[in-house]
Amino acid sequence: MKRDFSSQDNRTERRFGEHRGGTCMALIDGRFLMWLAQQGATGATGDSVNRQGLLNLLSLALSQSGLDVDVRRIYWYSDRPDGLVIDDQIVRLVQTHDTDGGASLIRSLGHDLKQLVQHHACDHVLMASDDERFLSLIDEAQLGGISVHILADESARNMPQMVRTDPGWARLLAQADRRVVVNSQVLADMLQGKLPVGMGLAVEDVEELRQSMHEVITAWWTDEPEDLREDLRDALQVSRGIPQEVDRQLLLRMRQRLTRALSLPEKKMLRETLRTVVAAPSPQASSALAGLPPDTDD
């Protein structure tokens, strides 16, 4: 029997219209990101930068803004090479802001944004910059069909005050499809390599999330007919991926449980947990095995 999901699943998913999916590229002005980390953060952030946790942090911030997107690549614009070679991160060296007032950053980042639009390379772009000169480029990208979101600190939650205190950045934030808020202290800790392992969450929070995933998957797995369970077991033995229908169902159930979309690393944890549940012997099989008579062959 082949796995078949009715159209009701699609209707259920559409009820969560505030969440948006697709692919995403991140265009990050390193100078601005370090400034953002200093807003409200305690302790010195220092001049050195650790980008190892950047993908996870951005994925989590996007998911908390209702963007269930796959961050494919980060472009990092900086006036100083940091010597780091990190998967899915491309470094673009630009002139220092004191040298040209940010003109080379505008050219480099603006060129990349135009290329993404021209080649339909992604559905979303996350930008980290407060330079109002990007306004027309963002508008052009949006007219080309790409959603453009801007990274900001907690002050972006109060736009009326932002208009009074920093009208230029307020105009840029207002142009964005969504303002993706990141906690300054968490950002500062990430840039200094101080975040605990696992999505920027404390160890106890990770374990609590893992337990929630296990409960959701186990409940779903228990309700599945045995023939469909066998189909999934066979599929997972020959493939490293998860069938799309199953993945969509479990992501929707976790979204309902957490009232938010999962970040990219959280999705990975969900899929690993699914494999663990599927690979575990069924209670019936365990009981049958326990009831086998002992081997009496000499």
Side-chain angles (χ1 to χ4, degrees):
M1 179 178 177
K2 297 299 182 183
R3 190 175 297 270
D4 182 26
F5 295 93
S6 69
S7 59
Q8 182 177 358
D9 291 326
N10 293 329
R11 290 197 302 270
T12 301
E13 195 165 14
R14 281 197 295 269
R15 286 204 298 267
F16 293 85
E18 69 276 11
H19 294 275
R20 300 172 61 188
T23 57
C24 180
M25 299 289 191
L27 310 180
I28 307 298
D29 174 4
R31 178 176 174 272
F32 168 76
L33 200 68
M34 287 186 281
W35 174 84
L36 200 65
Q38 297 170 357
Q39 308 308 303
T42 58
T45 55
D47 294 328
S48 62
V49 172
N50 188 322
R51 295 183 280 111
Q52 295 287 352
L54 185 56
L55 179 63
N56 287 353
L57 183 114
L58 295 181
S59 297
L60 186 59
L62 284 161
S63 71
Q64 290 174 341
S65 296
L67 296 164
D68 186 15
V69 298
D70 178 10
V71 182
R72 295 288 180 85
R73 189 178 304 117
I74 295 171
Y75 289 89
W76 177 264
Y77 305 84
S78 177
D79 58 17
R80 62 182 70 179
D82 54 23
L84 297 175
V85 178
I86 303 175
D87 290 345
D88 305 316
Q89 294 193 32
I90 308 296
V91 176
R92 303 278 205 231
L93 291 179
V94 298
Q95 295 292 320
T96 64
H97 193 274
D98 291 340
T99 300
D100 67 357
S104 62
L105 170 69
I106 300 293
R107 286 194 301 270
S108 182
L109 195 154
H111 172 268
D112 289 343
L113 180 58
K114 288 181 178 180
Q115 289 294 304
L116 293 175
V117 177
Q118 180 180 342
H119 297 286
H120 307 287
C122 57
D123 304 302
H124 303 263
V125 168
L126 174 64
M127 284 183 57
S129 176
D130 63 345
D131 198 315
E132 192 181 358
R133 287 174 289 181
F134 282 121
L135 263 175
S136 61
L137 292 170
I138 292 173
D139 188 45
E140 184 178 342
Q142 290 168 323
L143 289 171
I146 286 184
S147 297
V148 181
H149 317 290
I150 295 182
L151 200 68
D153 64 347
E154 296 285 346
S155 64
R157 299 189 189 279
N158 189 345
M159 287 299 293
Q161 181 177 349
M162 177 74 72
V163 170
R164 294 191 297 272
T165 59
D166 196 341
W169 196 27
R171 284 189 289 270
L172 193 67
L173 289 172
Q175 180 68 38
D177 287 278
R178 297 199 185 182
R179 287 140 294 282
V180 178
V181 175
V182 64
N183 180 271
S184 297
Q185 186 64 60
V186 172
L187 178 58
D189 289 344
M190 184 279 297
L191 291 175
Q192 294 299 302
K194 298 177 182 177
L195 278 184
V197 176
M199 301 167 292
L201 301 175
V203 174
E204 58 269 21
D205 294 332
V206 174
E207 291 307 313
E208 182 178 346
L209 177 60
R210 194 188 307 275
Q211 179 62 32
S212 295
M213 290 179 176
H214 194 277
E215 292 172 359
V216 167
I217 293 172
T218 300
W220 168 82
W221 183 243
T222 302
D223 292 339
E224 285 286 276
E226 182 57 34
D227 55 349
L228 296 185
R229 283 197 256 179
E230 287 300 324
D231 287 346
L232 183 55
R233 287 193 188 100
D234 294 341
L236 294 184
Q237 287 178 356
V238 299
S239 174
R240 295 179 60 186
I242 304 297
Q244 187 175 12
E245 298 87 350
V246 174
D247 202 41
R248 185 168 59 246
Q249 271 207 54
L250 295 179
L251 287 172
L252 178 59
R253 290 186 179 216
M254 284 305 302
R255 181 184 294 168
Q256 292 170 327
R257 174 77 171 254
L258 302 176
T259 66
R260 66 169 177 83
L262 295 182
S263 67
L264 189 61
E266 289 171 340
K267 291 178 186 177
K268 182 179 179 182
M269 181 191 292
L270 180 71
R271 290 154 188 160
E272 291 172 350
T273 305
L274 172 64
R275 286 186 172 275
T276 300
V277 171
V278 171
S282 65
Q284 295 85 351
S286 300
S287 299
L289 185 61
L292 287 176
D295 187 356
T296 57
D297 291 344
D298 293 331

